[in-house]
Amino acid sequence: EIVLTQSPGALSLSPGERATLSCRASQTVSSSYLAWYQQKPGQAPRLLIYGASNRATGIPDRFTGSGSGTDFTLAISRLEPEDFAVYYCQQYGSSPTFGQGTKVEIK
Amino acid sequence: QVQLQESGPGLVKPSQTLSLTCTVSGGSISSGVYYWSWIRQYPGKGLEWIAHIYYSGSTDYNPSLKSRVTISVDTSKNQLSLKLSSVTAADTAVYYCARERRGFYGGNWGYFDYWGQGTLVTVSS
């Protein structure tokens, strides 16, 4: 099983600031099969990024995914009020696993 | 627009079998392009993939749950189902069904582009 470790656990930022979230895998994620999701309270996760760097339909370009191998990053260029949420990474190069999440909270 | 809706008992007694159904609308389970998955989220927020099924009936299971899980599909009703046997309090979670899209280069697994709203299942006597 590939274990995904997200850091930091929480990030306190102000609207307009840049957020950088990390996801590190215990083994190489084949074909950069890594996705990112956003989850707000009481809602299901929402797909943001797939294939490490491809934005899902309707996702604003302030969300950027990057990385390969074992190290992946989600960057949010300028935080909007609706971006404060929990973010999860997920790998699908083998039996799917998720990271434990990073909470982006308002400072 | 694809929509998924989970249904089933919200309370299950320990040692019994949890049974859930997911009804898919706005798209056909038989389209042959996607897998259909069950995922759960613990109260502490961790997410765990449980299993997926292809419309043909081909399945894969999370190795840690394989001995207790059965996933099935009813293409005539556009539904997928989950059964989890011998439940304990550790199985208390929100259960989601989701559409799973395989990666660009193929493979046996994918990412989840549509999710149901989730249903909370509590295991308690």
Side-chain angles (χ1 to χ4, degrees):
Chain A
E1 170 180 301
I2 296 180
V3 176
L4 299 178
T5 302
Q6 292 187 241
S7 61
L11 206 47
S12 293
L13 295 167
S14 300
E17 289 193 296
R18 177 182 178 86
T20 303
L21 288 64
S22 174
C23 176
R24 179 161 290 178
S26 60
Q27 305 169 41
T28 295
V29 177
S30 62
S31 305
S32 294
Y33 279 171
L34 189 108
W36 289 93
Y37 301 86
Q38 176 193 70
Q39 188 177 34
K40 297 180 180 178
Q43 297 183 13
R46 171 196 181 198
L47 176 68
L48 298 175
I49 301 286
Y50 63 93
S53 61
N54 301 286
R55 274 185 292 273
T57 303
I59 301 304
D61 60 8
R62 64 179 181 272
F63 291 91
T64 302
S66 62
S68 63
T70 60
D71 289 303
F72 298 88
T73 300
L74 175 69
I76 311 171
S77 58
R78 297 170 308 279
L79 283 164
E80 297 286 344
E82 62 267 27
D83 299 336
F84 292 91
V86 180
Y87 293 83
Y88 295 95
C89 57
Q90 175 239 332
Q91 66 79 24
Y92 51 102
S94 60
S95 184
T97 53
F98 292 85
Q100 82 281 16
T102 291
K103 184 177 184 179
V104 178
E105 53 193 18
I106 299 177
K107 188 172 182 180
Chain B
Q1 178 83 344
V2 175
Q3 292 186 315
L4 301 92
Q5 178 69 58
E6 305 88 352
S7 59
L11 181 64
V12 181
K13 288 182 167 44
S15 80
Q16 292 191 342
T17 295
L18 178 163
S19 296
L20 296 174
T21 297
C22 174
T23 301
V24 179
S25 58
S28 172
I29 275 185
S30 304
S31 69
V33 179
Y34 309 105
Y35 285 108
W36 301 89
S37 274
W38 287 99
I39 298 160
R40 65 183 179 180
Q41 186 166 33
Y42 297 106
K45 301 303 184 184
L47 289 157
E48 182 177 45
W49 175 77
I50 300 170
H52 71 199
I53 189 165
Y54 195 51
Y55 80 100
S56 63
S58 172
T59 58
D60 288 293
Y61 294 96
N62 185 319
S64 68
L65 295 169
K66 187 174 183 176
S67 63
R68 298 195 292 131
V69 175
T70 302
I71 188 172
S72 59
V73 65
D74 186 335
T75 54
S76 67
K77 295 182 180 178
N78 226 31
Q79 291 178 335
L80 63 154
S81 297
L82 174 73
K83 292 187 185 301
L84 179 64
S85 64
S86 305
V87 297
T88 69
D91 294 308
T92 293
V94 174
Y95 285 75
Y96 295 100
C97 56
R99 191 177 82 171
E100 181 181 339
R101 192 161 191 154
R102 281 184 285 185
F104 182 78
Y105 302 106
N108 289 336
W109 297 275
Y111 56 92
F112 308 104
D113 60 353
Y114 285 95
W115 298 62
Q117 65 185 30
T119 186
L120 174 63
V121 178
T122 301
V123 179
S124 175
S125 55

